[in-house]
Amino acid sequence: MPTSISTAPAPAPAPPTADRRRADLILFMVIAFAVSWGAWGAAMAIGGPTANGEPAYLPFLLGAFGPLAGALVIRIRRGRRGEPVPAHAVRFRAATALRWTPPLLVLGSATVLVAAVLGHAAGDPALSWGDAQDVMRDMGGPAAFLVSMLVSGPLSEEPGWRGTAYPRMRATTGRLRTGATLGVVWAVWHLPLFFVDGTVQNDLGLATPSGLLFAVSNIPMAMLVTCAYERAGVVASVAVHFAVNTTMVLLGVTSPVTQALIIGVQTLSVAVLMVAGRRSAAPGKV
């Protein structure tokens, strides 16, 4: 007799267990911190990215890619196990990205611009396009400046913090707590840069009002890019991260007054985005 052939579909891959999510999250954090802190430690030992030129700049730049390295390892592990994308991961969709990324990019830059204008009204120096031109010229021109600002920070970090860590933390924790916790982790991750000669953080100083405000600012900044991620994935979080960093560098934000105002404006923006997000997710809403 001929043997019948089963045509039943293959079973769907089982979702990851809580223990596996936790193990992946821990591994991601270990890799992100080990790569970044190790590279920045080397830059520190050499003398910083500006002290001895290129030899110190390379490990300084490499350190920014710790979160991306961790994300790649976790992605490979998940693929080998045949697991689906985590429940709270936001997949890339071109239409959604085109709809949300441009306004979110503008919003990210606006949080810094509005704070800088308010800071000037409170006594800080006026905004200067000449200073911005000097910054771009020192970094090799506008194109080189923009590429550097995109690669070192947004592209090297967001696939890790938002694309990898956030969905796994979000599986057991609310969005507000998850975003705030990642902000604290982000602040700790940046700490070695305060001891690397030539960095923005080193110029601010750790035990100064500006240094402390930089550390605190990681929390509303993390929440802002998290809101972007929830709407359009990593592309949107990269755009907001890029917009905020670029605007701050071009404006040369170092004043504690303007830094505090940025924290306030970003916190207000996050509150509006979170309320709007809840309303759009309500039953019967599009």
Side-chain angles (χ1 to χ4, degrees), residues 250-275:
L250 288 175
L251 297 182
V253 175
T254 58
S255 162
V257 173
T258 299
Q259 286 180 293
L261 287 167
I262 291 173
I263 292 173
V265 173
Q266 289 187 346
T267 300
L268 180 60
S269 300
V270 167
V272 172
L273 288 172
M274 293 190 77
V275 169

Side-chain angles (χ1 to χ4, degrees), residues 3 45 59 94 96 118 122 141 143 158 168 188 226 229 233 252 281 284:
T3 304
T96 304
L118 294 174
E158 289 306 316
R168 289 162 176 81
V188 174
T226 293
Y229 174 77

Side-chain angles (χ1 to χ4, degrees), residues 89-110:
V90 181
R91 296 175 181 268
F92 173 76
R93 291 182 174 84
T96 304
L98 288 173
R99 175 188 175 192
W100 281 107
T101 300
L104 287 168
L105 187 148
V106 172
L107 174 64
S109 183

Side-chain angles (χ1 to χ4, degrees), residues 100 104 107 166 170 173-180 219-220 222-228 230-231 266-282:
W100 281 107
L104 287 168
L107 174 64
Y166 176 78
R170 183 72 176 84
T173 311
R175 61 202 293 243
L176 180 60
R177 184 175 176 183
T178 299
I219 298 175
M223 292 297 302
L224 187 63
V225 292
T226 293
C227 288
E230 289 180 333
R231 280 162 173 77
Q266 289 187 346
T267 300
L268 180 60
S269 300
V270 167
V272 172
L273 288 172
M274 293 190 77
V275 169
R278 282 198 295 267
R279 287 178 177 173
S280 64

Side-chain angles (χ1 to χ4, degrees), residues 4 17 39 70 111 121 177 190-192 232 247:
S4 61
T17 63
T111 62
R177 184 175 176 183
H190 279 99
L191 282 179
T247 308

Side-chain angles (χ1 to χ4, degrees), residues 42-277:
M44 205 183 310
I46 295 171
T50 60
N52 295 315
E54 187 175 335
Y57 181 76
L58 291 177
F60 161 73
L61 182 61
L62 176 64
F65 288 84
L68 181 59
L72 290 174
V73 170
I74 300 305
R75 177 67 180 269
I76 292 171
R77 280 167 56 89
R78 181 178 65 78
R80 287 179 175 174
R81 294 193 300 247
E83 292 176 355
V85 175
H88 291 277
V90 181
R91 296 175 181 268
F92 173 76
R93 291 182 174 84
T96 304
L98 288 173
R99 175 188 175 192
W100 281 107
T101 300
L104 287 168
L105 187 148
V106 172
L107 174 64
S109 183
T111 62
V112 180
L113 283 170
V114 169
V117 171
L118 294 174
H120 174 56
D124 278 356
L127 305 181
S128 171
W129 174 240
D131 292 342
Q133 289 178 310
D134 290 341
V135 170
M136 289 187 286
R137 184 163 46 249
D138 290 343
M139 295 186 69
F145 168 75
L146 292 175
V147 170
S148 175
M149 295 303 300
L150 179 63
V151 172
S152 180
L155 283 179
S156 62
E157 297 180 36
E158 289 306 316
W161 300 127
R162 253 56 62 178
T164 302
Y166 176 78
R168 289 162 176 81
M169 296 173 66
R170 183 72 176 84
T172 56
T173 311
R175 61 202 293 243
L176 180 60
R177 184 175 176 183
T178 299
T181 300
L182 272 178
V184 173
V185 172
W186 210 10
V188 174
W189 179 77
H190 279 99
L191 282 179
L193 292 175
F194 283 96
F195 306 98
V196 179
D197 184 41
T199 63
V200 171
Q201 292 82 2
N202 183 260
D203 291 340
L204 293 175
L206 180 59
T208 66
S210 292
L212 293 174
L213 285 168
F214 172 85
V216 173
S217 71
N218 282 270
I219 298 175
M221 174 67 171
M223 292 297 302
L224 187 63
V225 292
T226 293
C227 288
Y229 174 77
E230 289 180 333
R231 280 162 173 77
V234 170
V235 172
S237 65
V238 166
V240 173
H241 193 160
F242 169 78
V244 172
N245 282 7
T246 301
T247 308
M248 289 189 69
V249 170
L250 288 175
L251 297 182
V253 175
T254 58
S255 162
V257 173
T258 299
Q259 286 180 293
L261 287 167
I262 291 173
I263 292 173
V265 173
Q266 289 187 346
T267 300
L268 180 60
S269 300
V270 167
V272 172
L273 288 172
M274 293 190 77
V275 169

